[in-house]
Amino acid sequence: MADNRRSAPFYMTATTQFGLEEVLAQELRDLGAKVEKVGTRAVEFTGNKQLLYEACLWCRTAMRILRPFADFYARDEKALYREVSRLNWQDYLRPDQTFAITAVVNKSSFEHSLYVAQLTKDAIVDQFRNRLGHRPSVDVKNPDIRLHLHMIENEVVLSLDASGESLHKRGYRQGTNVAPLNEALAAGLILLSGWDGRKPFIDPMCGSGTLLTEAALIAQRIAPGLYHQGKFGFENWPDFDAALWESVQLDARQMRLEDPQAYLAGSDLSREYIELARENVAAADLEDFIRLGVRDVKEAKAPAKEDPGIVMMNPPYGERIGEEAEMEALYKTIGDTLKTGFQGYDAYIFTGNLEAAKRIGLKTSRRIPLYNGPIDCRLLKYELYQGTRKVKQE
C-alpha cells in the first residue's frame, strides 16, 4: 500500500529567480521530473514523493518547492472565506502545529495580499475552533506548515511549501561582505556558463566566496540541501515518509566525490573578505577543494600547469554617487587582466553596471539578462582566444 502511495505522481511548482527558469527545468529533468511548464520565475512539473524530497535536496537554483492542493475562483471576500472553509484543513495541518500564509495577489479585485492572507487564516482557524474547540497558532517566523496562496485574476491556488526556510539559504554562510550573491543565483550563473565541473574555475574578485563554494558543490556532486538549517517543510506534513527521506539523504551522501575534481581558486584584494571566504568554505567542509589568496585583480592570472577553463567574477556595480570614474577604471583593469592573464579561457562577468562594463574592451559573445535582488544585471560572456598576443611577441 505505502509503495503505491509513494510512487503516485502529483503536480508541483518550483520557484526561482528571473532568468534561471530553464536552468532549473533542466535540474528537475535530471532528477527524473516531467516538466509541464516553464513560466516566469517558476517551473511546473510532476513527480512522486521521492522526487519531491530529492528536489528539495538537490535543486541548486530553486528557492521553494510547492505542492498545490486546491484551486478555486473567488469573486469577493465572502467567496474566498467560503471556499477556504470548504477544505478539510485537518488533512494538511494539526491543531497543535503552527502555520503561516504567504499570499501573492496579481491582477485581482482584491487590493492587498496581506488582507487575503488574513482572510484565509481566519477561515482555517474558525474551522478548527468550530470542529475541535481549539486551533493551530500562527507563527510567521518559523512555522511548522507554510501555506502559499497565489491569486491571479481571482483564480486562487493554495499550496503547501515543502522547503521550510528558502532553499537558497544553504546554511554554510557564516559571514558575508556588503552585497553577496545569493547562493541560488551563484549556482545559476555557474550552470548558465555550462562549466563541466572538471576544468579550472577561477574567481579573481571572490569576496566571501559564494561562487567558489557553489562551484565546489557542483564539482564534488554535493547536494546543497544537506546544509539546510532546521527541518524541511515536508517533514511536518501528515504524509511525511521518514524512511523514504532517510534513504534519499543516504543516497545523496554517497553521491559525494571525495577526490578533488577541478582546480578551484579565488582571490580578493581585501584580506577581510578572504578571511570570510575561508570561514564559509570551512563551514561547508570544502577546504580540500578551494584555494584562496589575497591578490589584486590586476595581478590575477591563470594557473600555469592547468588547461584553460572558466574565469568568473561579480565585481562591484558602484551604486554610490560619484563612483563612476572609479568603476570605469576598475572595469578597464578587469578587461586588461582577462586579455593578458587568461588566454584560452571563457570569461563571465556578472554586473549591474552596463555602462562601466563597456570599459572591459572585449566583445561579448553572450549577454544573459538576470537580476541581483532589485538590480537589473547581465551575465556577460567573453571568449578569450589564444594566440592573439603570441604573434605580436614573435
Side-chain angles (χ1 to χ4, degrees):
M1 183 70 196
D3 284 332
N4 290 342
R5 214 175 54 236
R6 201 182 266 192
S7 58
F10 50 86
Y11 226 84
M12 291 172 260
T13 303
T15 63
T16 186
Q17 291 185 248
F18 175 83
L20 300 180
E21 297 92 349
E22 287 296 345
V23 175
L24 175 56
Q26 192 51 51
E27 286 198 88
L28 289 163
R29 283 187 202 104
D30 292 344
L31 289 171
K34 182 171 185 283
V35 171
E36 306 285 348
K37 183 186 168 205
V38 180
T40 306
R41 296 196 295 276
V43 179
E44 295 173 26
F45 63 103
T46 46
N48 61 11
K49 195 183 283 188
Q50 179 171 335
L51 184 89
L52 170 77
Y53 295 177
E54 286 172 350
C56 288
L57 201 56
W58 280 101
C59 283
R60 300 179 192 280
T61 56
M63 307 297 274
R64 298 192 170 280
I65 309 287
L66 306 175
R67 179 173 182 177
F69 63 88
D71 57 279
F72 51 81
Y73 179 80
R75 193 181 64 242
D76 53 22
E77 284 91 345
K78 271 199 182 108
L80 177 66
Y81 184 92
R82 187 180 64 241
E83 291 294 339
V84 173
S85 302
R86 277 186 177 155
L87 297 163
N88 181 20
W89 283 99
Q90 289 174 66
D91 291 346
Y92 311 105
L93 182 59
R94 292 197 315 268
D96 62 339
Q97 287 180 315
T98 57
F99 75 106
I101 299 166
T102 308
V104 179
V105 176
N106 289 323
K107 301 199 278 277
S108 118
S109 62
F110 291 87
E111 300 290 307
H112 295 294
S113 51
L114 278 172
Y115 176 60
V116 169
Q118 184 65 37
L119 207 55
T120 306
K121 184 212 78 156
D122 290 346
I124 295 170
V125 165
D126 292 350
Q127 185 188 95
F128 273 98
R129 209 185 273 119
N130 296 337
R131 288 185 185 177
L132 303 174
H134 55 113
R135 47 154 284 193
S137 346
V138 171
D139 177 350
V140 187
K141 273 263 189 296
N142 196 12
D144 297 323
I145 302 288
R146 285 175 200 263
L147 299 166
H148 272 249
L149 183 150
H150 192 239
M151 180 186 266
I152 186 156
E153 292 179 345
N154 294 52
E155 286 287 344
V156 176
V157 177
L158 280 166
S159 306
L160 287 164
D161 182 347
S163 330
E165 184 76 90
S166 175
L167 297 176
H168 81 274
K169 296 181 178 167
R170 306 278 199 248
Y172 62 69
R173 203 139 80 174
Q174 303 300 294
T176 58
N177 45 333
V178 195
L181 284 178
N182 98 41
E183 297 91 319
L185 178 56
L189 299 178
I190 298 164
L191 294 171
L192 279 168
S193 78
W195 180 59
D196 63 0
R198 295 278 183 275
K199 292 192 181 88
F201 184 97
I202 317 283
D203 180 355
M205 299 185 83
C206 72
S208 55
T210 309
L211 278 168
L212 286 163
T213 306
E214 291 297 319
L217 297 185
I218 291 168
Q220 301 304 132
R221 274 215 315 246
I222 297 168
L226 291 172
Y227 298 99
H228 192 78
Q229 303 288 295
K231 280 182 168 183
F232 285 93
F234 63 74
E235 294 184 65
N236 294 319
W237 293 359
D239 71 347
F240 174 55
D241 185 334
L244 177 62
W245 175 226
E246 202 46 59
S247 84
V248 164
Q249 290 177 93
L250 188 65
D251 287 347
R253 290 197 182 94
Q254 289 173 343
M255 289 286 282
R256 180 187 168 120
L257 301 168
E258 293 305 330
D259 294 334
Q261 300 297 304
Y263 180 96
L264 304 174
S267 51
D268 201 281
L269 182 56
S270 153
R271 186 169 294 280
E272 195 186 336
Y273 285 173
I274 290 296
E275 281 314 308
L276 267 182
R278 282 192 208 286
E279 283 172 30
N280 292 338
V281 166
D285 195 18
L286 297 170
E287 299 102 317
D288 297 350
F289 309 110
I290 299 171
R291 301 149 202 252
L292 292 166
V294 178
R295 191 176 299 115
D296 193 324
V297 66
K298 58 172 174 273
E299 251 80 85
K301 56 180 187 290
K305 291 193 173 72
E306 304 285 333
D307 286 337
I310 277 180
V311 54
M312 186 178 278
M313 45 188 134
N314 172 37
Y317 313 154
E319 277 110 63
R320 287 193 293 279
I321 306 296
E323 284 185 322
E324 288 88 349
E326 198 186 321
M327 284 299 125
E328 293 200 343
L330 173 64
Y331 281 75
K332 187 186 177 306
T333 302
I334 290 170
D336 294 344
T337 295
L338 294 178
K339 281 175 242 180
T340 56
F342 290 93
Q343 284 182 11
Y345 273 65
D346 281 340
Y348 289 86
I349 307 292
F350 181 61
T351 180
N353 190 335
L354 299 178
E355 217 27 64
K358 291 175 183 167
R359 302 303 297 267
I360 289 172
L362 288 158
K363 195 167 155 302
T364 56
S365 62
R366 269 176 89 187
R367 303 170 67 87
I368 304 170
L370 296 153
Y371 281 86
N372 187 3
I375 305 164
D376 185 12
C377 295
R378 295 290 178 278
L379 179 61
L380 305 170
K381 179 184 183 183
Y382 304 92
E383 293 173 22
L384 310 172
Y385 298 107
Q386 258 164 326
T388 37
R389 254 173 81 255
K390 291 194 182 116
V391 179
K392 284 180 194 152
Q393 286 169 346
E394 282 168 15

